[in-house]
Amino acid sequence: MSPIPARPFAFPLDPSQVALIVIDMQRDFLEPGGFGASLGNDVSLLQAIVPATARLIAGFRAAGRPVIHTRECHRADLSDCPPAKRSRGAPGLRIGDTGPMGRILIAGEPGAEIVSELAPLEGELVIDKPGKGAFYATDLADHLARLDVTQLVFAGVTTEVCVQTTMREANDRGYECLIAEDATESYFPDFKRATIEMITAQGAIVGCAAPVGAIVAGLGGAAGTNAPLLAAEA
Ligand code: TIU
């Protein structure tokens, strides 16, 4: 166990007990013409965290620790997309409509894929999720129980939507949670800052926050068991 510098206090990172969850680093959120852009957002802000997220993923892989990726997407027939989600607001394109990267937020379409720089390795678990939280309507909880981890590090987009929702779900399930503050981003920088403040306030009511460099350094020399999950098992 190596306590790493974190907010609001040092995080007791245990390289034998930790897994990484990278939330929704998909083309639909990071590239023009996708879901994020259809909602009126400037996607370039999110692209900026790709290098730091890649360093974080590389650190977990080098330490032999599990890397889990999520993708927010729906079935082609939209049977798992609540009408309230699809019909809300006035986006340029709705979920299921066809854009330059295929149908918006639909599994198997180019836009739903994780950006190439962060592509999952064979054997890494990829969770397709219909909601904002990665535990809702998925088998993530079962996979984590099998991995026998007690700590989760979170990265990805967007900080206040899918990352925060998933981190809260994990916190309620008893995991020690840590957000990688330079490997997460929002379309609204103030929302990112406020989210990390909310998460870490009140004695880390949801979890701690630390930079990628500190997390990767804390994993260094880990004798963790490599426990890759075969996608086929998912
Ligand atoms: N719109 C927004 O900020 N986020 C989402 O819709 N999904 C995720 O955060 N992945």
Side-chain angles (χ1 to χ4, degrees), residues 144-160:
L144 289 175
R146 254 207 339 261
L147 284 171
D148 200 25
V149 296
T150 59
Q151 302 183 339
L152 295 174
V153 172
F154 292 91
V157 296
T158 60
T159 315
E160 79 281 14

Side-chain angles (χ1 to χ4, degrees), residues 24 29 35 39 41 72 129 132 157-158 160-162 187:
D24 301 356
F29 293 105
F35 184 61
L39 297 173
N41 297 307
E72 181 178 351
K129 62 187 192 45
K132 302 307 182 193
V157 296
T158 60
E160 79 281 14
V161 183
C162 292
Y187 299 117

Side-chain angles (χ1 to χ4, degrees), residues 20-227:
L20 172 65
I21 302 188
V22 184
I23 304 281
D24 301 356
M25 290 296 282
Q26 298 161 256
R27 298 183 65 198
D28 258 328
F29 293 105
L30 272 70
E31 295 185 17
F35 184 61
S38 82
L39 297 173
N41 297 307
D42 172 5
V43 296
S44 63
L45 277 171
L46 272 51
Q47 290 167 9
I49 64 159
V50 169
T53 308
R55 286 196 295 278
L56 183 63
I57 291 172
F60 273 76
R61 286 175 179 158
R65 297 310 303 168
V67 177
I68 298 167
H69 309 258
T70 72
R71 299 184 294 205
E72 181 178 351
C73 57
H74 295 277
R75 296 187 194 122
D77 65 2
L78 296 175
S79 58
D80 60 353
C81 182
K85 180 176 182 181
R86 184 162 196 266
S87 63
R88 193 172 302 146
L93 290 169
R94 293 192 187 279
I95 296 169
D97 289 350
T98 300
M101 293 187 288
R103 294 181 67 202
I104 297 281
L105 234 52
I106 297 297
E109 298 287 331
E113 293 306 320
I114 291 167
V115 296
S116 58
E117 300 94 319
L118 307 178
L121 292 184
E122 201 178 327
E124 289 178 348
L125 181 61
V126 181
I127 299 279
D128 284 349
K129 62 187 192 45
K132 302 307 182 193
F135 287 84
Y136 168 69
T138 73
D139 52 8
L140 176 59
D142 296 335
H143 285 294
L144 289 175
R146 254 207 339 261
L147 284 171
D148 200 25
V149 296
T150 59
Q151 302 183 339
L152 295 174
V153 172
F154 292 91
V157 296
T158 60
T159 315
E160 79 281 14
V161 183
C162 292
V163 177
Q164 175 171 217
T165 304
T166 304
M167 195 165 166
R168 288 178 182 275
E169 289 179 321
N171 183 50
D172 282 348
R173 285 164 174 78
Y175 291 97
E176 292 287 353
C177 296
L178 177 71
I179 188 167
E181 53 193 333
D182 46 343
T184 183
E185 194 50 88
S186 168
Y187 299 117
F188 307 91
D190 283 351
F191 288 0
K192 171 182 172 175
R193 183 187 47 72
T195 299
I196 293 177
E197 279 182 25
M198 276 186 256
I199 283 170
T200 57
Q202 305 182 71
I205 195 78
V206 178
C208 292
V212 166
I215 298 168
V216 171
L219 290 168
T225 53
N226 195 346

